[in-house]
Amino acid sequence: MIKAVLSGDMPRSVVLASILGLILFCLALAPFLFPGVRTVDTAARICVFVVLVASYDLLLGYGGIVSFAHTMFFGIGAYGVALASTHLGRGFDALAGGALAGAGVAAALAFVIGLFSLRVRAIFFAMITLAVASAVAVLVSQLSGLTGGEDGLTFQTPRELGPAFKFGDELFGVKLNGKLLSYYLVFTGSLILFLLMLRVVNSPFGRVLQAIRENDFRAEAIGYRVVRYRVAATCLSAAVAALAGSLYAIWLRYVGPDTTLSMEIMIDILLMVVIGGMGTMYGAVIGATVLVLAQNYLQNLMGAAGSAIEGLPVLPQLLDADRWLLWLGVLFILSVYFFPTGIVGRLRRS
Amino acid sequence: MTSPILATEGLTVRFGGHVAVDAVSCAFQTGELTAIVGPNGAGKTTYFNLISGQIPASAGRVLLRGRDLSGQSVSQRTRAGIGRAFQLTNLFPNLSVLENVRLVVQSNAGQGMNLWSMASRHAELTEAAEAILTRVRLIGNRDQTVSELSHGNQRKLEVALLIALDPAVYMFDEPTAGMSVDEAPVVLDLIAELKEQRDRTILLVEHKMDVIRTLADRIIVLHNGALAADGDPATVMASDVVQEAYMGRELEDV
């Protein structure tokens, strides 16, 4: 049963299985285990980023294709939901329509980019995606009549997903309101998308992608049309990234260039894939969890540590909360140095 | 004489001013094993590259069952029936031995675009791949990663991938290069077996003259990219020109 759900791709390490189980458990019960606006927000962000990073892993870790347009596809999904909700009204039909349209547009755009650039060397694709992503980001901030420009769009989701909607009193001290439903929509959607991708990478198609990553020359010589597979992987990955964007927009009830399209998010995705372990899918879960937690809590943790050792020379300055980005950088360098195959790669080896 | 399965007509490729393959016209019959010989740089591997489509021809055509293959990609030619093993080992280094072969079997089964089923559940593909591994005596290394294999075993796997592909036209580019004396016979026996089937066409680039003498039905000699001799082994090997100019010392110890 578990084997079928995970598409036969077992964690293959007791430690890894325990960590994944713990993450799943915490995310599944986050509103009850860690009640609070900020903690639940962090949990939702982790769910969305797991899907986003996994879809990037499909491209980079399995297909060996470097893309810088992943946030663009993420943004297309988010704006799809926002625009549909703004213009069609606050309904589930608008959410579904916006999400599907976003995924469709993302896949179509990926198809065009892929068809034009994946025939040539893979590096060319990376450059084209960078150019297109920058162009789209500029376009979104300029077309303020449609997209709200730099301010983004705030929109209303169905009443059932808002904090004002109550469907019960309290359960374990947690208010049963629409925000809780909204979280579980994000959680369930993310879980399904992740399991779907796990399915894809373990299918015959996934094996061909790995073969192309390893040796595209030979993959062609045993009869696989390499371009076709690369384009298919790009479209699939783009569509899933767009759906992750839709979930994120539904959760935030807001879209803006900074939350969905920025280059910073692209770099976050890269870090998450590398820290977690490329070409493993489970690496996306661990990478996203570690990095989102670090981004949200490292500052607090360091603030606490800094004040705990007050009085000592130099150390408090080093651990000052304002230096958290420096330490995040150090953590990243160390993890790449010590775990070149990522956390998952390291755990599976031992 | 029946119509040839594979033919090249005036096949030529130029790199800048250098003519690497010079108007080679040659036809190959089903069931025939042709050895292609010639000194280093004679254009043997380039001739293979033109047939399998890795490089486009400057002039001339490749015909498979009378159909012009010009403009067809490598994968299209592969599916049409031209299979190739490479001189420099060319595998999927971080995948297992079994997975390497299974990828070929899966390609033949047309399962590549299957996104839904689990690859590990396709028992028929796994069994077919295991059968090939047994034939090349690599079954013991089934789950090893390719990059960990010895050179000789990598060469065997190189041949195994071609055998798994089972094309109408087999092209072997120095299949035993760098193999030990113990290992080479495994590969040569496999080629002999294929030849015995008499329903496959085999092109073999090989330097070892004893191998050629036992296996070849016919020898063609390339020199400076051009066809210098073509005929049954006895005639070609006996011709003085060929002996002196192209076989050199290799024939002396025969």
Side-chain angles (χ1 to χ4, degrees), chain B:
Chain B
M1 210 173 185
T2 51
S3 63
I5 174 136
L6 178 74
T8 64
E9 290 179 354
L11 200 59
T12 304
V13 70
R14 290 179 212 97
F15 301 118
H18 174 66
V19 184
V21 171
D22 191 1
V24 176
S25 296
C26 206
F28 304 94
Q29 301 294 331
T30 298
E32 193 181 52
L33 191 151
T34 308
I36 301 171
V37 300
N40 284 330
K44 305 181 296 285
T45 297
T46 311
Y47 185 55
F48 268 19
N49 283 337
L50 289 171
I51 294 173
S52 57
Q54 263 90 19
I55 54 175
S58 310
R61 321 188 283 172
V62 177
L63 300 166
L64 183 71
R65 301 184 188 93
R67 205 162 56 88
D68 187 0
L69 293 183
S70 306
Q72 297 228 14
S73 70
V74 174
S75 59
Q76 282 171 318
R77 291 177 195 218
T78 305
R79 287 195 300 273
I82 296 181
R84 167 99 187 261
F86 293 86
Q87 182 182 12
L88 298 171
T89 304
N90 206 325
L91 303 161
F92 305 106
N94 293 311
L95 303 182
S96 72
V97 170
L98 177 71
E99 198 56 56
N100 268 262
V101 179
R102 194 161 57 181
L103 275 163
V104 182
V105 178
Q106 179 184 293
S107 173
N108 275 354
Q111 286 283 342
M113 270 294 167
N114 183 338
L115 277 90
W116 183 246
S117 69
M118 285 196 247
S120 51
R121 292 259 171 101
H122 284 270
E124 75 286 0
L125 302 183
T126 309
E127 281 162 21
E130 283 171 343
I132 303 280
L133 287 180
T134 308
R135 277 178 70 188
V136 297
R137 301 195 203 153
L138 276 177
I139 193 72
N141 307 78
R142 182 181 181 277
D143 297 315
Q144 237 179 319
T145 305
V146 168
S147 55
E148 292 166 2
L149 284 184
S150 68
H151 176 79
N153 279 340
Q154 290 194 4
R155 293 302 303 167
K156 276 195 230 164
L157 184 57
E158 179 70 41
V159 170
L161 293 198
L162 182 55
I163 288 175
L165 193 63
D166 196 26
V169 177
Y170 278 75
M171 300 203 293
F172 292 101
D173 199 348
E174 296 193 37
T176 60
M179 283 183 110
S180 70
V181 195
D182 310 329
E183 291 168 322
V186 177
V187 168
L188 295 173
D189 287 350
L190 282 168
I191 297 176
E193 239 175 75
L194 284 172
K195 185 189 157 188
E196 291 313 309
Q197 278 179 244
R198 287 290 164 199
D199 58 354
R200 295 289 183 270
T201 307
I202 304 169
L203 273 59
L204 173 69
V205 168
E206 185 56 80
H207 281 302
K208 296 177 188 123
M209 295 316 293
D210 52 332
V211 170
I212 294 172
R213 196 175 309 101
T214 41
L215 284 177
D217 298 311
R218 170 189 177 196
I219 297 179
I220 64 176
V221 183
L222 289 180
H223 184 239
N224 289 337
L227 192 61
D230 179 358
D232 64 273
T235 320
V236 172
M237 283 167 119
S239 74
D240 291 344
V241 188
V242 169
Q243 273 208 17
E244 280 181 27
Y246 315 124
M247 305 296 167
R249 289 184 300 112
E250 281 180 80
L251 273 191
E252 281 169 19
D253 47 40
V254 169

Side-chain angles (χ1 to χ4, degrees), chain A:
Chain A
M1 168 63 186
I2 290 179
K3 209 171 166 184
V5 170
L6 298 182
S7 309
D9 190 352
M10 306 304 276
R12 300 205 306 274
S13 147
V14 181
V15 184
L16 179 59
S18 325
I19 295 175
L20 290 171
L22 183 69
I23 292 175
L24 179 67
F25 178 76
C26 290
L27 289 177
L29 297 174
F32 299 97
L33 292 173
F34 318 102
V37 174
R38 186 165 169 213
T39 45
V40 177
D41 191 63
T42 305
R45 203 175 139 84
I46 291 175
C47 292
V48 169
F49 270 82
V50 165
V51 176
L52 183 60
V53 173
S55 66
Y56 193 69
D57 194 27
L58 172 68
L59 205 59
L60 180 69
Y62 286 85
I65 303 167
V66 180
S67 161
F68 292 107
H70 217 60
T71 46
M72 177 180 77
F73 299 126
F74 185 58
I76 288 174
Y79 275 93
V81 164
L83 290 172
S85 298
T86 309
H87 297 290
L88 301 177
R90 56 190 301 194
F92 282 102
D93 50 344
L95 295 188
L100 289 178
V105 170
L109 193 56
F111 181 77
V112 174
I113 299 176
L115 214 56
F116 276 104
S117 56
L118 282 172
R119 294 187 166 275
V120 221
R121 301 251 305 278
I123 185 74
F124 194 60
F125 178 77
M127 278 150 49
I128 294 277
T129 55
L130 190 61
V132 174
S134 310
V136 167
V138 171
L139 210 61
V140 167
S141 68
Q142 293 300 313
L143 291 174
S144 48
L146 184 67
T147 61
E150 289 293 328
D151 294 335
L153 290 171
T154 306
F155 59 95
Q156 293 194 306
T157 50
R159 223 179 75 76
E160 290 80 359
L161 298 177
F165 174 76
K166 303 229 176 358
F167 61 95
D169 206 16
E170 282 194 353
L171 185 66
F172 306 119
V174 177
K175 288 193 190 108
L176 297 179
N177 62 18
K179 205 65 195 164
L180 189 70
L181 290 183
S182 181
Y183 176 79
Y184 279 105
L185 175 69
V186 171
F187 172 78
T188 316
S190 302
L191 186 64
I192 291 172
L193 285 173
F194 179 79
L195 291 176
L196 278 178
M197 272 183 292
L198 202 57
R199 190 91 203 187
V200 168
V201 299
N202 287 294
S203 71
F205 174 79
R207 298 294 161 89
V208 179
L209 283 188
Q210 283 178 301
I212 292 172
R213 174 196 70 197
E214 291 286 304
N215 187 345
D216 55 350
F217 178 86
R218 190 60 188 260
E220 183 85 25
I222 58 174
Y224 292 115
R225 237 182 284 175
V226 169
V227 178
R228 236 178 95 186
Y229 285 89
R230 280 190 174 146
V231 171
T234 311
C235 292
L236 193 66
S237 155
V240 175
L243 290 174
S246 301
L247 289 175
Y248 201 41
I250 292 170
W251 173 252
L252 293 176
R253 288 179 289 166
Y254 162 80
V255 286
D258 290 341
T259 50
T260 53
L261 289 170
S262 75
M263 206 59 208
E264 268 170 56
I265 299 179
M266 190 64 240
I267 292 168
D268 284 348
I269 298 172
L270 272 168
L271 293 186
M272 289 171 187
V273 167
V274 172
I275 290 176
M278 274 194 277
T280 58
M281 277 295 144
Y282 293 119
V285 179
I286 293 186
T289 307
V290 167
L291 212 72
V292 172
L293 283 180
Q295 283 171 336
N296 280 286
Y297 295 106
L298 193 62
Q299 208 171 354
N300 298 12
L301 196 70
M302 284 176 48
S307 45
I309 52 166
E310 220 168 347
L312 293 170
V314 189
L315 276 177
Q317 277 91 30
L318 270 180
L319 288 178
D320 191 283
D322 292 342
R323 310 256 188 283
W324 75 280
L325 213 53
L326 170 80
W327 287 104
L328 192 61
V330 171
L331 274 182
F332 176 61
I333 293 169
L334 288 180
S335 72
V336 171
Y337 187 78
F338 287 107
F339 312 129
T341 51
I343 297 172
V344 172
R346 181 76 187 76
L347 287 175
R348 278 186 168 168
R349 199 157 49 93
S350 55

